[in-house]
Amino acid sequence: MDTLNLGILAHVDAGKTSLTERLLYAAGVIDHVGRVDDGDTQTDTLALERRRGITIKSAVVSFEVNGTVVNLIDTPGHPDFIAEVERVLDVLDGVVLVVSAVEGVQPQTRVLMRTLRRLGLPVLVFVNKIDRRGARSEALLGEIAAKLGIEVVPMGSVRNLGTKHAAFVPYAGTAAEVLEPLAEHDDLLLTAYLADRPVPAERVRGELADLTRTGQLHPVFFGSAITGAGVAELTAGIVALLPAAGGDADAEPSGSVFKIEREPGGQKVALIRMFDGTVRIRDRLRFGRAGDTVTRISVVGGGAGAPAEAVTAGRIARVWGLAHARIGDPVGRRRVTSAAAFAPPTLETVVIPARPAEAARLHQALTELAEQDPLINVRIAGAEISLSLYGEVQKEVIEATLADDYGLRVAFRETTTICIERVVGTGEAVTAKDAEDNPFLAGVGLRIEPAPPGSGLAYARDGFVLGTMPPAFFAAVEETVHATLAQGLHGWQVTDCRVTLTHTGYFPRQSHAHAQFDKSMSSTGADFRQLTPLVVMAALSEAGTQVCEPVHRFRLELPSETLAATLAMLAAVRAVPLETTPQGASFVLEGDVPAEQVHALTRLLPGVTHGEGLLETNLDRYRPVAGIPPSRPRTDANPLSRKEYLLRVTRRPGS
Ligand SMILES: Nc1nc2c(ncn2[C@@H]2O[C@H](COP(=O)(O)OP(=O)(O)OP(=O)(O)O)[C@@H](O)[C@H]2O)c(=O)[nH]1
Ligand SMILES: [Mg+2]
């Protein structure tokens, strides 16, 4: 049986969860259509999601059509939860991008589509809410094509638009509306189309599926998740136009952990998508330096959570026993994946327990949350716990989760920006293995040089050091270089640099007759892990770094009469308009705004534009901070164990 792993993506409130519900109903999986507003849908299951009526975490459900198992992943639309979307992108074979017929293409729709195109994922567009007053149908096609920068093929039209009787009327397979966009890609169709000759429907269908699978064309369906209009046609389109998961069940196993759940009893369950190969019960899988044994498998779409012996290529399964698995970990062979799809969080805040005595419990709770939630990045410096954040809504959700699930009340300190450090010069440091002041049985030399902005951290070895010591020592140095550069001279992540290993030295295992392996005479990985940070920091000090802050690019559409008030507000939040373009009765402003001011800008905008301003902001770049560079308190290079943390907080005066 074929499997298709399908993501439902859209801006907030477009109707993803409602559509998921409808698709399940249409496929006969459920016999009652739940509603977001009633809090009884299949995918918004968290108490907080039901209370707020928004999706916070992605959820997997499954149905079967014409012998294809479709695993559906409903994702959150709010930009604060973009990391949830990022984690599932990796495991999808295709996507339904939902656009509201009333609100049209939103800034977040553009962010999503840009990423989907970069990843080359096939995407169908579903224009939802055709039953609502003010809905547009054909009129929206031009906007979708222009704003998303894609080629579209309408799959039908809408009757009774904007009423509860709105219906989707599919075009015949060979209708001009379908043929025309295809003809531009296919000479045979073009000639036939121009000569008004009939074209075999089979040929059109094949061409449409090919162009969709390769991401060159995007079929557009219309409908309503509430009335069910157009949902049957969309279901048929999903199976006919999107590619099933490939993969070879007999190949070397390769998969990805994209979600972690906890059972009521606290047991950890990893959701895994297999790309190739097979994972069986009792298989041993490696995560980082640890190994775990699979104790139970339940294949999604395998019949109501039926336990299985194995999960094979293409399928998604819940897997028990993987205590060390974290979201984003590869299973088996690592697949080459594209770099981070979306911009990283640029904000952070310090969390303070309402009762100081609960500091250790708060640490435990956040560590547990961070494990299941890629959004929560916990950082501990001294006795302070900070979290990286995408925005204020995410902060509220974390606060509510801590209160609901752990009974912990917390306060947040002011939100601050996460800066980075860029290397400005070249620095080099060497500690030879027998240097007098070297307490470790290891020798390491490193050179650090600047690299182009956005290039990240590149690590290499000079040709001559290759093969001069056991691979485990090379790995220890490389890992430690990465870990150490997480905090540069001012405490920020060092990036956009090239680090070269220029020298190595080690003491081999003693192997004279009688002599046993002796730690006091032979190098171990620990020697390299302890020496490397010192060499890194010496080289980095010589190279020097510059602290840079995140800057967003904003695009703002506003009524002309509100321009003066808006400009004054922009100045107040340190936003700098660089281009001002009149557009009918509106103005379009584009410019820069520091990341830390984006929230203030969003908050102040409706007031000065009478609710008419349309804002889009994206992380654009990092720029050197003017004046004294801010520094961030350092954490220990190695994450603290719970015990170490407890010791530290209990030693704190006053707690
Ligand atoms: N009239 C009408 N309302 C709809 C339709 N689809 C969704 N809604 C309503 O729109 C609101 C948002 O729907 P959801 O399904 O939660 O949207 P979502 O995209 O999942 O939202 P997030 O997950 O929070 O991003 C709810 O009040 C739905 O009842 C539709 O086709 N017609
Ligand atoms: Mg939702």
Side-chain angles (χ1 to χ4, degrees):
M1 196 160 4
D2 277 345
T3 308
L4 169 61
N5 298 299
L6 178 72
I8 309 254
L9 269 62
H11 66 83
V12 71
D13 266 358
K16 297 174 292 298
T17 301
S18 308
L19 178 62
T20 301
E21 199 70 13
R22 265 291 162 187
L23 287 165
L24 290 175
Y25 179 75
V29 175
I30 50 175
D31 50 20
H32 160 79
V33 184
R35 300 196 46 152
V36 173
D37 314 82
D38 300 338
D40 64 346
T41 61
Q42 298 295 310
T43 49
D44 280 358
T45 52
L46 299 178
L48 197 55
E49 291 180 320
R50 298 191 158 178
R51 204 155 71 224
R52 286 189 156 237
I54 60 166
T55 303
I56 295 166
K57 296 201 162 230
S58 54
V60 191
V61 288
S62 177
F63 61 88
E64 211 183 299
V65 208
N66 300 338
T68 298
V69 173
V70 181
N71 294 326
L72 206 69
I73 307 185
D74 178 22
T75 64
H78 195 286
D80 278 15
F81 307 119
I82 193 78
E84 275 292 303
V85 183
E86 170 143 8
R87 287 307 183 200
V88 308
L89 286 178
D90 195 31
V91 306
L92 300 179
D93 304 307
V95 168
V96 171
L97 183 72
V98 183
V99 174
S100 160
V102 183
E103 283 84 18
V105 173
Q106 297 287 297
Q108 186 68 1
T109 324
R110 303 200 336 161
V111 169
L112 293 170
M113 192 65 208
R114 211 178 301 141
T115 301
L116 294 173
R117 282 175 61 87
R118 191 152 48 78
L119 298 177
L121 275 167
V123 180
L124 305 183
V125 177
F126 183 72
V127 176
N128 188 33
K129 307 196 185 187
I130 57 167
D131 60 308
R132 263 189 48 192
R133 201 136 54 90
R136 291 171 291 161
S137 55
E138 283 87 343
L140 207 55
L141 287 169
E143 177 178 320
I144 292 174
K147 288 202 171 165
L148 297 181
I150 57 173
E151 276 185 57
V152 297
V153 188
M155 300 303 290
S157 61
V158 179
R159 199 172 50 216
N160 300 324
L161 181 67
T163 73
K164 63 176 192 294
H165 302 294
F168 177 66
V169 187
Y171 291 133
T174 53
E177 287 87 348
V178 180
L179 266 185
E180 213 170 305
L182 292 183
E184 286 173 33
H185 293 267
D186 183 325
D187 287 341
L188 211 101
L189 286 184
L190 182 65
T191 341
Y193 174 66
L194 292 177
D196 242 345
R197 262 201 326 259
V199 199
E202 200 66 0
R203 164 96 204 200
V204 178
R205 255 198 309 275
E207 184 68 16
L208 181 60
D210 283 351
L211 291 167
T212 304
R213 280 174 198 161
T214 48
Q216 299 179 69
L217 274 189
H218 300 281
V220 180
F221 295 82
F222 295 90
S224 163
I226 293 299
T227 68
V231 172
E233 291 82 355
L234 176 66
T235 306
I238 287 169
V239 184
L241 300 171
L242 294 176
D248 175 359
D250 298 322
E252 189 189 342
S254 159
S256 171
V257 178
F258 67 95
K259 192 173 159 70
I260 300 280
E261 295 175 345
R262 267 192 197 273
E263 296 198 299
Q267 254 188 331
K268 186 165 161 178
V269 188
L271 270 107
I272 289 179
R273 147 104 204 234
M274 293 304 294
F275 303 110
D276 261 322
T278 301
V279 165
R280 295 181 178 81
I281 293 184
R282 286 176 296 279
D283 275 359
R284 227 174 138 66
L285 300 175
R286 286 203 79 72
F287 296 100
R289 283 199 235 154
D292 290 324
T293 303
V294 175
T295 56
R296 198 173 130 202
I297 295 175
S298 165
V299 177
V300 174
E309 272 301 309
V311 51
T312 55
R315 304 300 296 253
I316 287 175
R318 292 190 162 76
V319 178
W320 282 256
L322 309 182
H324 296 92
R326 294 179 58 100
I327 292 181
D329 278 349
V331 173
R333 186 170 45 85
R334 183 184 284 277
R335 218 173 50 136
V336 188
T337 48
S338 41
F342 301 105
T346 54
L347 303 172
E348 72 181 341
T349 183
V350 173
V351 201
I352 308 155
R355 284 187 293 271
E358 289 180 340
R361 233 162 49 76
L362 175 62
H363 172 248
Q364 173 66 21
L366 286 170
T367 312
E368 217 173 286
L369 287 178
E371 198 176 70
Q372 345 172 348
D373 191 338
L375 292 165
I376 300 178
N377 199 347
V378 183
R379 191 173 180 279
I380 295 158
E384 246 172 33
I385 307 179
S386 59
L387 288 175
S388 60
L389 288 177
Y390 278 93
E392 296 297 315
V393 175
Q394 188 196 352
K395 191 160 101 178
E396 289 166 30
V397 165
I398 293 174
E399 185 177 4
T401 308
L402 287 170
D404 292 357
D405 297 359
Y406 297 90
L408 284 166
R409 273 190 309 116
V410 296
F412 294 97
R413 230 177 275 147
E414 199 186 351
T415 304
T416 52
T417 310
I418 302 176
C419 295
I420 59 164
E421 285 181 45
R422 283 204 179 112
V423 174
V424 288
T426 297
E428 197 159 353
V430 180
T431 300
K433 65 174 182 179
D434 32 26
E436 221 172 280
D437 54 350
N438 182 358
F440 307 110
L441 295 173
V444 172
L446 291 165
R447 184 172 61 241
I448 300 186
E449 299 157 282
S455 61
L457 179 113
Y459 177 86
R461 306 173 195 168
D462 261 356
F464 70 88
V465 301
L466 262 176
T468 50
M469 63 178 187
F473 296 161
F474 279 112
V477 174
E478 183 170 353
E479 265 170 41
T480 313
V481 164
H482 281 274
T484 308
L485 289 178
Q487 305 182 76
L489 303 175
H490 301 274
W492 306 103
Q493 171 105 42
V494 179
T495 183
D496 302 336
C497 61
R498 199 165 48 240
V499 180
T500 312
L501 179 62
T502 55
H503 167 90
T504 62
Y506 82 113
F507 295 92
R509 267 174 105 100
Q510 299 302 310
S511 58
H512 317 291
H514 313 303
Q516 298 242 317
F517 171 56
D518 181 351
K519 265 198 181 163
S520 66
M521 296 167 73
S522 326
S523 301
T524 63
D527 288 306
F528 285 91
R529 276 190 285 276
Q530 286 171 313
L531 174 62
T532 302
L534 308 178
V535 181
V536 170
M537 291 315 276
L540 192 65
S541 307
E542 195 185 306
T545 65
Q546 188 172 45
V547 177
C548 299
E549 65 171 345
V551 183
H552 282 239
R553 182 87 183 174
F554 72 84
R555 182 180 185 282
L556 177 53
E557 236 178 281
L558 68 159
S560 304
E561 70 277 10
T562 64
L563 182 62
T566 304
L567 288 173
M569 182 274 285
L570 289 177
V573 299
R574 296 198 288 128
V576 181
L578 300 168
E579 275 173 50
T580 310
T581 326
Q583 210 174 72
S586 327
F587 271 103
V588 176
L589 304 183
E590 284 184 57
D592 289 342
V593 57
E596 63 182 349
Q597 295 292 337
V598 170
H599 180 61
L601 175 54
T602 323
R603 207 164 27 87
L604 295 172
L605 187 69
V608 292
T609 61
H610 313 306
E612 300 275 306
L614 255 180
L615 175 70
E616 180 174 346
T617 78
N618 291 306
L619 177 62
D620 183 51
R621 62 185 194 282
Y622 286 82
R623 71 173 174 212
V625 172
I628 301 168
S631 49
R632 165 152 90 160
R634 306 183 63 81
T635 70
D636 293 4
N638 298 317
L640 290 185
S641 71
R642 178 168 144 76
K643 195 168 138 215
E644 285 168 317
Y645 181 76
L646 259 166
L647 281 173
R648 187 178 288 189
V649 291
T650 44
R651 244 189 258 127
R652 226 171 101 218
S655 63

